[in-house]
Amino acid sequence: MKLKSMPSLRNKKRYVTFRVHSERPILYSSMRGAVTNSILNWMGEEGFSSANIRIIKNLWDAKVRTGWLTCPPSALDDVKMSLALIHQIGDDRVIFHVLRVSGTIKSGKKKISLGKR
Amino acid sequence: MKFYDYCVFDYADGMPGMAAELGWGGLCLLKDGPAGMGKIDPVKGLLIETEKVQNVKKEAVRNRKRFEIIVASGLNEDVNRAAVETPEIDILVTVEGARIDHVMVKLAAKNNVALGFDFRQLLHSSGVQRSRIFSRMRENAKLVKKFRAPFVITSGSVSEWDMRAPFELTAFGRLLGFEEPAIKEALSGKMIENNRKKLGGKWVQPGVEVE
């Protein structure tokens, strides 16, 4: 049985879409490791746990190197900063570029395809 | 709205393409770069990096009419002080987020010298060093806010891999304690527009222009 919290007690969340610019293809596992480490370094363990940040595996697109993560609205700036502070994955130099912040996956996808911020 | 990166310390071939992809409208090149960069507006800048106080004003006055933006990089406190006392200088970027006091911030506000917050100093540091630099930057930002001194947020890039998008730098600005409209103004091309007007030849003094 899947446990669900009451709708009124659920925390608000935002979906952050980002693109990884790099010279070579990036694996999901290495991207995930880099993002987690950077957020842990910037926000600390306490901040990371209270923010309840999740990287969505199904939405990682290895071809265009775009990924999605969820975080509460209050932690948005810290998450953006943590992503911006990643400059290397393994030996490859990378840039994490936040494309869009949205309330739902559907609206995020729609706005990315329209090229809006 | 066009965003400008005011401190690009070195030019690399991949920069214009990456800048366009990240959403920049213009780059201020502090070392030699190409005259045209496609969609990106190239801004001619000068970096004054000296340990001698007397050289700051001399260099700034001599080069004012040749460059659109003049940036001073303070290697010590005396140079920082000399830079904020010189109205010919547009931006002062402190090394490793070195602290500046209220007197210097007041002078910067009076002489319209913008204080630069360089993202690269955080990007290439880690652990205790990064936290110290960020805490110094926060202290400086508090003073800048209090005395309403102009400021800019820059990526301080030396290669295309150091560049960050304007919206990431906006998040950096918000974490420093600045308000959104002030950050947008800091990233806009207002300073360049004013300086281009002054260098155009028709400008005499604020409010007076020759037709």
Side-chain angles (χ1 to χ4, degrees):
Chain A
M1 190 181 74
K2 196 181 175 188
L3 293 175
K4 274 186 174 181
S5 57
M6 277 168 65
S8 58
L9 292 178
R10 275 181 214 154
N11 292 326
K12 283 191 176 179
K13 61 180 171 187
R14 291 286 180 271
Y15 291 91
V16 179
T17 321
F18 57 87
R19 176 169 289 149
V20 187
H21 298 274
S22 67
E23 286 165 326
R24 287 190 294 177
I26 300 284
L27 290 174
Y28 170 77
S29 55
S30 46
M31 179 278 293
R32 190 191 162 88
V35 171
T36 316
N37 274 337
S38 182
I39 296 174
L40 265 175
N41 281 339
W42 183 252
M43 295 173 74
E45 289 172 359
E46 198 271 332
F48 190 71
S49 66
S50 59
N52 193 20
I53 294 158
R54 300 274 153 88
I55 302 162
I56 306 168
K57 192 177 180 180
N58 297 347
L59 295 172
W60 168 250
D61 189 338
K63 263 188 192 170
V64 272
R65 294 170 210 164
T66 53
W68 295 65
L69 61 83
T70 63
C71 69
S74 56
L76 258 180
D77 285 334
D78 283 311
V79 168
K80 279 188 194 173
M81 184 75 180
S82 312
L83 291 177
L85 284 170
I86 305 170
H87 59 94
Q88 208 165 1
I89 296 180
D91 291 334
D92 297 322
R93 287 179 298 175
V94 294
I95 296 176
F96 274 71
H97 176 204
V98 174
L99 297 173
R100 173 79 206 166
V101 178
S102 60
T104 61
I105 294 175
K106 192 179 174 183
S107 73
K109 279 183 177 174
K110 202 173 160 186
K111 277 159 187 172
I112 287 169
S113 64
L114 289 173
K116 280 185 194 171
R117 266 200 86 88
Chain B
M1 185 182 182
K2 251 188 177 184
F3 293 108
Y4 281 81
D5 191 349
Y6 283 96
C7 293
V8 176
F9 288 112
D10 213 345
Y11 177 77
D13 289 334
M15 267 183 178
M18 188 61 85
E21 216 163 308
L22 294 176
W24 288 106
L27 297 178
C28 178
L29 306 170
L30 300 178
K31 281 194 181 164
D32 290 339
M37 293 201 290
K39 282 181 190 172
I40 304 294
D41 177 18
V43 182
K44 210 175 161 194
L46 171 74
L47 176 67
I48 299 174
E49 217 172 7
T50 177
E51 283 183 11
K52 287 182 182 171
V53 177
Q54 59 271 30
N55 285 356
V56 177
K57 188 156 189 164
K58 212 194 284 175
E59 286 275 310
V61 172
R62 193 169 56 193
N63 293 303
R64 180 66 276 185
K65 286 186 178 168
R66 288 173 52 220
F67 293 93
E68 289 164 333
I69 293 286
I70 295 181
V71 180
S73 180
L75 296 174
N76 57 50
E77 279 175 16
D78 297 328
V79 174
N80 286 346
R81 176 70 187 247
V84 291
E85 283 173 348
T86 313
E88 283 81 11
I89 287 175
D90 295 307
I91 300 164
L92 166 69
V93 180
T94 55
V95 174
E96 290 197 349
R99 282 211 52 195
I100 40 175
D101 60 3
H102 64 284
V103 182
M104 283 155 84
V105 178
K106 274 184 191 172
L107 280 168
K110 190 184 153 199
N111 293 322
N112 206 20
V113 178
L115 293 159
F117 294 90
D118 183 3
F119 186 79
R120 192 170 154 268
Q121 292 175 4
L122 291 176
L123 186 67
H124 291 294
S125 58
S126 60
V128 180
Q129 197 196 359
R130 183 184 280 173
S131 59
R132 285 211 177 122
I133 293 171
F134 191 63
S135 91
R136 274 187 231 131
M137 282 183 176
R138 264 190 170 162
E139 291 287 314
N140 293 347
K142 211 195 262 180
L143 289 171
V144 167
K145 255 179 94 176
K146 185 173 169 63
F147 295 106
R148 290 178 189 170
F151 71 97
V152 290
I153 297 172
T154 68
S155 69
S157 47
V158 293
S159 82
E160 69 263 38
W161 299 105
D162 288 336
M163 299 184 95
R164 290 297 178 268
F167 289 93
E168 264 91 273
L169 296 187
T170 309
F172 170 50
R174 271 200 297 261
L175 289 174
L176 286 173
F178 294 117
E179 302 290 329
E180 182 107 22
I183 299 166
K184 287 213 166 142
E185 203 186 308
L187 290 167
S188 73
K190 210 174 167 187
M191 190 191 288
I192 292 164
E193 216 173 89
N194 288 343
N195 284 358
R196 279 180 178 163
K197 208 188 264 180
K198 284 179 190 174
L199 294 174
K202 289 180 180 175
W203 188 87
V204 181
Q205 64 179 61
V208 185
E209 278 178 46
V210 182
E211 277 293 310

